[in-house]
Amino acid sequence: MDPTAYYYMPLFKPGTFVQWNHQRETVSHVVVRRHALMVYLVGHESPVYPEALHLAPTAFRLTRMPDTDGL
């Protein structure tokens, strides 16, 4: 595996804006149940499958980055 490789995937976390049914919604919380990810939206009682949501992917790097706090 290339140590500088980046992986792209949506990052669902509270407060994130997503597109659902052509409307802008806000993520309330995320739950993993029975090996399935479910996203709850603010103002909606039922969870939504992440495949139904549109969100720009976030880049992840799987190698540790040096701490830049100046130790």
Side-chain angles (χ1 to χ4, degrees), residues 1-26:
M1 176 170 50
D2 181 9
T4 60
Y6 284 89
Y7 299 89
Y8 299 89
M9 59 185 284
L11 178 60
F12 298 104
K13 63 181 182 177
T16 300
F17 295 110
V18 296
Q19 196 78 10
W20 183 57
N21 289 338
H22 304 290
Q23 293 184 354
R24 185 178 175 181
E25 302 284 348
T26 305

Side-chain angles (χ1 to χ4, degrees), residues 12-13 16 18 26-32 36-42 44-51 53:
F12 298 104
K13 63 181 182 177
T16 300
V18 296
T26 305
V27 174
S28 171
H29 59 284
V30 178
V31 175
V32 177
L37 180 71
M38 299 303 292
V39 180
Y40 286 82
L41 304 174
V42 173
H44 299 276
E45 290 185 24
S46 300
V48 178
Y49 286 107
E51 296 84 16
L53 302 173

Side-chain angles (χ1 to χ4, degrees), residues 48-68:
V48 178
Y49 286 107
E51 296 84 16
L53 302 173
H54 297 282
L55 175 64
T58 301
F60 291 93
R61 190 169 169 183
L62 297 182
T63 57
R64 290 186 180 259
M65 301 295 294
D67 191 10
T68 59

